[in-house]
């Protein structure tokens, strides 16, 4: 009889402990199994940080535009519309340490050294979407017309306003990202060309 009471008391004690842990984890908003893993936040942060540093290309602004190119000839003109899609962002594949997280007396600081904003997809003109308005051009003239359009489209894509917008988007994105990673401050510096 004593053995049965002892086993019953042990089961009740275990149930009370399990219910207590579940209630505590529910109040704290932390899964019960994570209560016993204090290093979990650091492991998760390190995993996410590795993922971030392995991502080499970050797009922060896409520009859709089109350019009309007209070549005048003695016996008729040639006109084409060149639609484009350019991605502005950063490529950190050449930067060795573009992001570091340091812990200074309990204050976590993320330091980012970002390369300049550039066009990530060099060939933004889709040949299949080029529209011929009128006239006919030989292959050499088509290549020249496309180069002329590409030059103007890239110059517009890399305007000061677009670069400024891409930088702002990048800074907002990285500040939010590293705030989620529980950094107290995010220091962002842009490298010069």
């Amino acid at each position: 009889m004593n053995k049965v009471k002892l086993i019953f008391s042990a089961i009740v004690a275990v149930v009370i402990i399990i219910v207590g842990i579940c209630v505590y984890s529910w109040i704290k908003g932390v899964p019960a199994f994570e209560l016993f893993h204090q290093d979990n936040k650091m492991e998760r942060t390190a995993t996410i940080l590795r993922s971030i540093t392995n991502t080499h290309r970050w797009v922060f602004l896409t520009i859709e535009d089109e350019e009309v190119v007209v070549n005048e000839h003695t016996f008729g003109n040639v006109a084409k519309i060149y639609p484009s899609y350019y991605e502005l962002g950063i490529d950190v594949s050449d930067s060795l340490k573009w992001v570091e997280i340091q812990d200074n007396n309990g204050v976590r600081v993320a330091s980012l050294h970002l390369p300049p904003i550039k066009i990530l997809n060099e060939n933004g003109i889709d040949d299949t979407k080029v529209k011929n308005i009128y006239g006919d051009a030989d292959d050499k003239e088509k290549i020249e017309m496309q180069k002329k359009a590409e030059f103007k489209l890239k110059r517009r894509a890399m305007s000061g306003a677009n670069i400024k917008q891409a930088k702002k988007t990048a800074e907002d994105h990285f500040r939010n990202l590293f705030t989620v990673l529980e950094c107290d401050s995010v220091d962002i510096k842009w490298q010069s060309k």
Side-chain angles (χ1 to χ4, degrees):
M1 196 72 166
N2 280 342
K3 271 187 173 178
V4 172
K5 282 184 180 180
L6 187 62
I7 291 172
F8 181 76
S9 296
I11 291 172
V12 168
V14 169
V15 168
I16 289 172
I17 290 171
I18 291 172
V19 168
I21 290 171
C22 290
V23 168
Y24 181 77
S25 70
W26 178 73
I27 290 170
K28 288 290 192 178
V30 177
F33 64 87
E34 284 190 16
L35 291 174
F36 303 104
H37 295 284
Q38 297 300 322
D39 295 330
N40 188 30
K41 278 185 187 172
M42 288 307 292
E43 288 173 15
R44 184 185 60 167
T45 300
T47 302
I48 293 171
L49 192 56
R50 272 193 299 277
S51 164
I52 290 168
T53 55
N54 288 338
T55 304
H56 297 294
R57 295 166 64 94
W58 297 78
V59 177
F60 297 112
L61 185 65
T62 55
I63 309 292
E64 288 187 58
D65 196 0
E66 62 181 28
E67 176 68 23
V68 177
V69 178
V70 178
N71 274 5
E72 297 181 2
H73 297 285
T74 310
F75 300 106
N77 299 336
V78 178
K80 293 182 178 291
I81 299 175
Y82 293 90
S84 67
Y85 179 86
Y86 287 107
E87 296 175 331
L88 272 57
I90 59 173
D91 186 344
V92 294
S93 57
D94 296 332
S95 303
L96 295 175
K97 274 200 163 185
W98 66 275
V99 59
E100 289 183 86
I101 295 183
Q102 297 173 340
D103 195 342
N104 300 328
N105 298 325
V107 177
R108 291 183 63 175
V109 178
S111 297
L112 284 74
H113 302 281
L114 302 177
I117 296 288
K118 68 177 193 174
I119 293 174
L120 296 176
N121 61 325
E122 282 297 314
N123 190 12
I125 296 175
D126 185 351
D127 294 335
T128 62
K129 295 182 180 176
V130 173
K131 296 175 189 160
N132 192 38
I133 301 173
Y134 54 83
D136 204 14
D138 61 17
D139 290 343
K140 184 181 175 189
E141 188 174 20
K142 285 179 185 175
I143 292 169
E144 289 172 4
M145 291 176 77
Q146 183 156 335
K147 282 183 181 177
K148 195 183 293 185
E150 188 175 32
F151 175 78
K152 290 180 179 179
L153 290 163
K154 282 183 178 179
R155 189 174 60 194
R156 282 202 302 266
M158 288 294 289
S159 70
N162 287 344
I163 291 172
K164 185 177 178 182
Q165 180 60 47
K167 281 185 174 182
K168 182 185 180 318
T169 303
E171 290 172 6
D172 292 346
H173 174 80
F174 285 125
R175 284 189 205 290
N176 290 337
L177 179 63
F178 286 100
T179 300
V180 168
L181 291 174
E182 298 177 354
C183 290
D184 299 301
S185 70
V186 181
D187 180 33
I188 298 173
K189 291 182 178 151
W190 291 93
Q191 299 170 9
S192 59
K193 292 182 180 181

